[in-house]
Amino acid sequence: MKLVDQLGFVKRNMKKNKLRIFMTVLATTMGCSFLIVLASIGFGLQNSLMEEASSHQPLTQITVNGKMIDETYHEVTEEDLATIGATENVSAVVPQSRIYSHSEVTLEDEFRASVEGIITNFEAEKNSNFRLSEGEFPENENEIIVGYHLHEVLNKFDRTTLEYITTGDSNEELVSYDSNLLGKIVTFSFMDDSSETVFTDEYKIVGIADEPARDWVQDRSVYIGDERREDLLSLAGQEDFYNNVTAHVASVDQTEGVTNALKEEGFMVYSISEELRGINVFFTAFKAGLIFVGTIAVLIASIGIFNTMTMAVTERTHEIGIMKALGANPSVIKRMFLFESASIGLLGSLFGVAIAYGVSIAANFFIPLILEATTNSEGIDITFSYIPLQLVLIATGISVTVACISGFRPAAKATNVNVLSALRREA
Amino acid sequence: MINVEHLHYSYKIGKKGKKSTVPVLKDVNLEVGKGEIVSIVGRSGSGKSTLLNLLSGYITADSGKITINDRDVTNLSEKEWAKFRLEHFGFIFQNYELIPSLTAFENVELPLTLKGVPRKQREERTQILLESIGLSAHEDHYPNELSGGQQQRVSIARALITEPDIIFADEPTGSLDSETEEDVLKLIKDLNKNRNITFLMITHDQEVAAIADRTLKIHDGKMNQERGVYFEAR
């Protein structure tokens, strides 16, 4: 008997008992959608956490600290930078030194801001995909890049009193600089420990850094080229070392390999991918647990499939008897019943997937609103439920497999129908 | 064509531990030639239906040998029997045994479907057969929408659709009125004559036995005539 004819019989038989099949499919749908929705919470929370973790630091960035030799910490040296740069798959090494002294930027003797002075290598920054919102990378010693929010913190001040000027209204807000900083000449200065200004120089702003990924971070950095690095650090009273060295790789896959290679070299290394690996292990176990619990719902639905198929065999005993009497192969009869139970599983999972997507979308829409309302906080951006294709495939696989197993015994029963008993019964 | 030698069959009855056997067929011998119509008569419980069931492969003999079309079929597996039935046999049952949820057309087409004949080909063959048997007007009717005679015609058409060598008929007119019985018997006779199909019929109806080339009688599980010998010539 051809497969298409077997499927034709299955379709006809299913149509004959619409209500019963509908109820069984409904039970399977509920089981399958429960399984997907439950597991989708695991996937959703994992995604939210991963996004949160990777917003701190790009996945392709590895922070390299110095070495611990004989219980003594050694800062990253020039030689170390060369070693890091020569490591396979490292596309750029960015050595930064932060000026810890109080630093300021003054614009047109009218606006002033406390800033964070960072001495860096612009060529390396460029290679590491440091992004500018506008402008370009400095090419001369007296050109700088400033943080995205610098114009917001540049406030107007009184030249004589050096006090900040407010708007004068009831809000008493400071007056910020409201023009574009690109191309402006600013004065950068910093003090020593005794609050004496030890360095002042004029710089031209040629680039403005990209907006930070995290909304609450205010970037008020001033990036200065490392041509005068030693002098600046000396004036600030700091030792000559790099306090923030980052190695960059081209793709996320390479992060782990480079991290391990640098560790072998003795560096103290941190990459977000290490943290994410731990998160992934936890969530893999968590999701497996959720899928297991969800499978119980599918197993409960399988009892319905077993009942439906057993009733179908009982009802169709006469028909099976006739088919066998005429010469139907027993394995074909078995297969038709297995197809029928598998169809119930497949239909149930198709509807289940559709419903699960609906529930997932609704959950992601309403739960943040409820959380915002109950916690009085705004802008809660959390993916509560996420259904990837792999979850759909897993749930469909489980549903169809469970349905086939449920239909196996009734199908075997159908195969063993005695022709004479089946025909005599109706006589 | 059909050769039965020393066939024995007993029914097992009773519960576990108290089982006993009731002999039904005792040393039955039978030979049926190609194109013959042979009827087997006997009282109820004589074993005639059991013989037909053994020849159809629905049950297995205790001992003896059955050869059909020169093939020893005595110990075929269930799967092999299914294939053999589909290839060589047609069946006409007393209660027609049509599938209620299939139309007359689909019931007739069923053996071809089971054989895996392509749809177009089987539809053509079914159409031609239904026309030749005078049922094309009822092809879309379900069995419960047909009279007894029409249902038996559908059953006969279903037996013929695979162009079998042998048709087993178990009380083919048992559920029909006398007028319809005459029609069905005429149809059987015509088919035998025109298509050279071998018929083995179980009956206790003299009218049915009358169309047979020879009639054999079973009494208490024994065929009371030697193989191939006419019991009652027409």
Side-chain angles (χ1 to χ4, degrees):
Chain A
M1 195 172 179
K2 286 187 183 302
L3 182 68
V4 63
D5 293 320
Q6 290 175 37
L7 294 174
F9 264 82
V10 171
K11 193 177 162 191
R12 184 178 59 87
N13 289 331
M14 287 176 80
K15 270 187 174 176
K16 227 166 42 177
N17 287 303
K18 277 182 197 157
L19 183 65
R20 196 168 66 204
I21 293 291
F22 171 76
M23 295 309 284
T24 317
V25 169
L26 184 66
T28 315
T29 300
M30 287 165 72
C32 185
S33 57
F34 176 73
L35 161 63
I36 296 174
V37 169
L38 197 66
S40 77
I41 296 169
F43 282 94
L45 292 180
Q46 183 184 19
N47 268 15
S48 293
L49 214 64
M50 299 274 274
E51 271 175 30
E52 169 68 17
S54 57
S55 68
H56 291 269
Q57 180 176 314
L59 291 168
T60 51
Q61 183 178 311
I62 302 153
T63 304
V64 188
N65 292 303
K67 296 175 178 177
M68 189 66 87
I69 303 168
D70 297 332
E71 296 187 8
T72 312
Y73 182 71
H74 295 264
E75 297 289 350
V76 178
T77 62
E78 289 287 343
E79 198 182 328
D80 289 338
L81 289 180
T83 309
I84 298 164
T87 308
E88 196 181 352
N89 292 327
V90 171
S91 57
V93 182
V94 180
Q96 290 183 346
S97 298
R98 187 157 286 136
I99 297 168
Y100 291 117
S101 309
H102 177 76
S103 308
E104 273 185 3
V105 161
T106 315
L107 173 66
E108 295 162 359
D109 243 5
E110 207 176 348
F111 294 91
R112 195 179 68 195
S114 291
V115 296
E116 190 177 19
I118 296 169
I119 304 165
T120 189
N121 182 300
F122 287 119
E123 193 58 35
E125 292 282 10
K126 204 172 181 177
N127 291 336
S128 74
N129 280 332
F130 182 96
R131 288 189 185 165
L132 299 176
S133 65
E134 53 185 322
E136 54 195 21
F137 281 89
E139 285 177 356
N140 301 318
E141 203 176 302
N142 275 55
E143 291 179 344
I144 54 169
I145 292 172
V146 296
Y148 184 82
H149 297 107
L150 184 66
H151 71 282
E152 289 177 14
V153 293
L154 268 174
N155 296 316
K156 204 168 188 175
F157 70 101
D158 190 310
R159 282 181 217 179
T160 49
T161 63
L162 297 179
E163 292 291 320
Y164 285 112
I165 298 168
T166 58
T167 48
D169 57 15
S170 56
N171 290 332
E172 292 284 318
E173 281 181 359
L174 297 174
V175 180
S176 298
Y177 184 71
D178 58 0
S179 296
N180 196 333
L181 285 173
L182 205 62
K184 295 282 185 290
I185 306 289
V186 292
T187 305
F188 173 72
S189 61
F190 58 82
M191 299 167 182
D192 64 7
D193 292 343
S194 54
S195 298
E196 286 291 320
T197 301
V198 287
F199 175 81
T200 303
D201 204 351
E202 286 191 337
Y203 288 93
K204 183 183 179 186
I205 298 172
V206 293
I208 294 173
D210 208 358
E211 189 177 4
R214 302 170 87 188
D215 294 343
W216 61 88
V217 172
Q218 195 178 46
D219 185 7
R220 51 166 75 194
S221 309
V222 171
Y223 298 90
I224 301 165
D226 60 0
E227 294 84 357
R228 295 164 65 188
R229 185 172 162 276
E230 284 178 27
D231 293 344
L232 290 172
L233 290 177
S234 168
L235 287 168
Q238 288 177 219
E239 282 183 46
D240 181 12
F241 61 79
Y242 304 100
N243 48 20
N244 184 26
V245 178
T246 51
H248 297 257
V249 292
S251 78
V252 181
D253 310 339
Q254 296 166 346
T255 312
E256 193 178 346
V258 172
T259 304
N260 291 337
L262 293 175
K263 272 184 182 175
E264 277 173 25
E265 289 288 338
F267 293 105
M268 296 168 79
V269 181
Y270 170 79
S271 70
I272 196 71
S273 65
E274 277 206 314
E275 200 171 298
L276 293 183
R277 202 187 316 140
I279 294 172
N280 277 334
V281 170
F282 168 77
F283 270 99
T284 303
F286 184 56
K287 287 183 290 188
L290 292 177
I291 289 173
F292 176 75
V293 175
T295 304
I296 293 171
V298 178
L299 286 173
I300 293 167
S302 76
I303 298 169
I305 299 176
F306 178 82
N307 276 340
T308 297
M309 295 314 298
T310 306
M311 283 176 76
V313 172
T314 309
E315 277 177 4
R316 276 181 238 151
T317 301
H318 181 219
E319 188 178 319
I320 297 164
I322 295 170
M323 289 175 78
K324 284 183 84 172
L326 296 178
N329 194 318
S331 58
V332 168
I333 290 171
K334 187 178 182 177
R335 208 178 304 143
M336 285 200 287
F337 278 93
L338 282 177
F339 279 152
E340 191 167 332
S341 53
S343 304
I344 292 172
L346 193 63
L347 278 174
S349 47
L350 286 178
F351 291 127
V353 167
I355 290 173
Y357 268 109
V359 172
S360 174
I361 291 166
N364 287 334
F365 180 75
F366 287 111
I367 289 178
L369 292 182
I370 294 166
L371 287 176
E372 280 176 21
T374 51
T375 59
N376 282 332
S377 45
E378 278 182 17
I380 292 179
D381 182 22
I382 180 170
T383 307
F384 187 75
S385 163
Y386 170 65
I387 304 173
L389 181 65
Q390 84 190 86
L391 177 56
V392 172
L393 295 177
I394 289 170
T396 307
I398 289 174
S399 298
V400 174
T401 307
V402 167
C404 283
I405 293 168
S406 307
F408 196 80
R409 199 174 140 72
K413 192 181 163 193
T415 314
N416 295 327
V417 162
N418 182 287
V419 176
L420 295 179
S421 310
L423 299 186
R424 200 176 294 140
R425 208 179 64 137
E426 300 289 319
Chain B
M1 176 124 268
I2 302 174
N3 198 341
V4 175
E5 292 172 62
H6 308 294
L7 202 64
H8 288 262
Y9 183 80
S10 307
Y11 278 117
K12 283 103 195 142
I13 57 167
K15 285 182 180 175
K16 206 175 180 183
K18 289 181 181 177
K19 273 190 175 175
S20 60
T21 55
V22 179
V24 185
L25 292 180
K26 300 160 194 167
D27 197 28
V28 170
N29 294 290
L30 171 70
E31 198 172 311
V32 179
K34 172 81 180 152
E36 264 194 299
I37 301 180
V38 173
S39 67
I40 296 172
V41 296
R43 284 184 184 168
S44 182
S46 60
K48 57 186 190 302
S49 289
T50 304
L51 177 63
L52 197 68
N53 290 337
L54 283 164
L55 293 175
S56 308
Y58 299 153
I59 50 176
T60 309
D62 296 338
S63 64
K65 188 178 176 187
I66 303 170
T67 311
I68 297 171
N69 280 356
D70 299 325
R71 184 173 178 192
D72 183 356
V73 294
T74 323
N75 294 310
L76 290 186
S77 68
E78 195 185 357
K79 213 171 175 177
E80 288 169 329
W81 258 120
K83 195 174 177 220
F84 195 81
R85 278 200 290 271
L86 209 51
E87 292 291 331
H88 299 282
F89 299 163
F91 295 92
I92 303 169
F93 301 97
Q94 181 181 356
N95 295 305
Y96 329 124
E97 303 297 2
L98 301 174
I99 294 179
S101 58
L102 299 182
T103 62
F105 189 96
E106 289 165 339
N107 265 294
V108 174
E109 191 188 26
L110 182 61
L112 294 181
T113 310
L114 295 175
K115 270 183 104 169
V117 175
R119 175 185 281 267
K120 201 180 167 194
Q121 203 180 324
R122 64 177 193 247
E123 281 180 353
E124 276 173 12
R125 280 169 69 175
T126 308
Q127 196 67 57
I128 292 167
L129 182 62
L130 283 173
E131 274 170 25
S132 73
I133 218 162
L135 272 173
S136 51
H138 303 287
E139 65 177 41
D140 292 328
H141 291 198
Y142 287 93
N144 63 357
E145 297 166 348
L146 298 170
S147 69
Q150 287 167 335
Q151 287 189 58
Q152 194 58 298
R153 278 172 173 273
V154 173
S155 169
I156 292 169
R158 183 180 65 187
L160 288 171
I161 192 74
T162 54
E163 297 175 353
D165 311 316
I166 304 159
I167 289 181
F168 293 121
D170 185 3
E171 303 279 9
T173 59
S175 302
L176 303 177
D177 57 60
S178 56
E179 200 178 326
T180 318
E181 178 183 323
E182 207 174 298
D183 281 352
V184 169
L185 291 177
K186 187 174 177 300
L187 181 63
I188 290 173
K189 194 71 191 157
D190 288 348
L191 289 168
N192 168 255
K193 194 177 164 187
N194 300 332
R195 303 191 187 198
N196 201 30
I197 297 171
T198 305
F199 278 86
L200 185 66
M201 300 190 294
I202 301 288
T203 186
H204 50 251
D205 187 336
Q206 286 301 315
E207 297 284 329
V208 178
I211 68 159
D213 297 320
R214 58 197 171 104
T215 301
L216 306 173
K217 188 174 183 182
I218 286 188
H219 182 69
D220 284 345
K222 286 188 176 177
M223 195 77 87
N224 65 353
Q225 295 294 317
E226 289 301 313
R227 68 175 78 166
V229 177
Y230 285 77
F231 167 67
E232 188 181 302
R234 275 177 295 134

